[in-house]
Amino acid sequence: MRIIKNIFNLSFISIELGILLICLCNIWVFGLTNGRTYTKISKIPPREIALVLGTSPKMKSGQSNPYFTKRMDAAALLYHHGKIKKIIVSGEKSKGYNEPAAMKNYLVNQEGVPEDIIVEDPKGFNTYKSILRCKDVYKKKNVIIVSQGYHNLRALFFARNNDMNALGFDAQDVTKPESFYRNQAREILARVIAVVYFILGVSPD
């Protein structure tokens, strides 16, 4: 009985420590990025370039992915209001799949953005790679990162810790319960991983 009680106490302590870790990591991310994300186009300061983070243009059903279209809407809004001069579209390119090309095509054909101001980054396989390549490959540090708000916080965390003077412009979120709560929960845990990797000095590939 004593063994069972000790196991129960240890499990309870482990759960408490886990919850504490999640809270502290998310507080760190929020604190580091506080005041650097914007939802209104009139409020965000101008930057030379926008970095648009990739996502699939289509859902499994074959319908347009609303996360994708909202990010493109946000990027186009920045351009048409004179907040940026160029756009990097960063995402995964693999056999039969090309996020940057889909983003560029949408911006040009649906949003009226000039083709010659858009740069495709085909090796943005995750958020961290997109941020790091923006700085190291394209030599851009003063950027506006475009994604949904919950995602922008982690992206800005990576950017700030890589000495980038980045801001976030939040694309309109998708409020369907089945996707909203899933993405929010996943991002809470992703922030923990980002903080742990940063503390350990490990690249989150």
Side-chain angles (χ1 to χ4, degrees):
M1 183 65 94
R2 181 177 296 176
I3 294 175
I4 295 175
K5 184 177 180 180
N6 289 338
I7 292 174
F8 177 81
N9 288 336
L10 184 61
S11 299
F12 186 75
I13 292 172
S14 298
I15 293 172
E16 284 186 322
L17 290 175
I19 294 173
L20 180 61
L21 175 65
I22 291 172
C23 291
L24 289 176
C25 288
N26 276 269
I27 288 171
W28 187 354
V29 172
F30 276 96
L32 192 66
T33 59
N34 184 45
R36 302 192 71 85
T37 59
Y38 296 81
T39 57
K40 294 183 178 180
I41 192 67
S42 61
K43 299 294 185 181
I44 189 166
R47 288 284 192 271
E48 178 190 358
I49 200 161
L51 172 66
V52 188
L53 300 178
T55 188
S56 174
K58 300 288 184 182
M59 298 188 295
K60 291 181 179 179
S61 64
Q63 294 180 324
S64 295
N65 180 359
Y67 290 95
F68 176 91
T69 56
K70 297 303 182 185
R71 290 183 197 184
M72 300 309 106
D73 291 345
L77 193 65
L78 287 169
Y79 172 75
H80 290 306
H81 279 77
K83 297 293 184 175
I84 54 169
K85 296 178 180 178
K86 295 183 179 180
I87 299 173
I88 297 175
V89 287
S90 181
E92 178 184 346
K93 179 182 179 181
S94 55
K95 187 176 180 180
Y97 184 79
N98 193 334
E99 287 178 357
M103 288 191 279
K104 182 176 182 178
N105 288 338
Y106 193 97
L107 286 169
V108 172
N109 297 318
Q110 302 297 324
E111 303 282 3
V113 177
E115 183 177 358
D116 60 356
I117 73 155
I118 304 172
V119 177
E120 293 182 49
D121 172 22
K123 295 183 179 180
F125 297 115
N126 57 43
T127 304
Y128 183 75
K129 284 187 179 298
S130 292
I131 297 297
L132 208 59
R133 285 176 59 79
C134 181
K135 176 191 172 187
D136 294 340
V137 176
Y138 300 102
K139 308 301 181 183
K140 303 299 181 183
K141 296 175 66 175
N142 299 311
V143 301
I144 297 174
I145 301 171
V146 179
S147 188
Q148 272 70 31
Y150 67 87
H151 186 203
N152 263 343
L153 293 176
R154 180 162 54 96
L156 280 172
F157 178 80
F158 289 141
R160 296 281 284 162
N161 286 322
N162 280 281
D163 300 317
M164 295 174 67
N165 184 20
L167 303 173
F169 186 55
D170 296 346
Q172 185 177 345
D173 211 338
V174 179
T175 56
K176 291 182 179 180
E178 62 272 19
S179 60
F180 179 81
Y181 293 112
R182 180 183 67 243
N183 287 330
Q184 292 288 339
R186 184 173 60 188
E187 195 61 30
I188 287 172
L189 296 178
R191 291 179 200 133
V192 175
I193 295 171
V195 170
V196 171
Y197 279 7
F198 172 71
I199 292 173
L200 297 177
V202 178
S203 174
D205 294 331

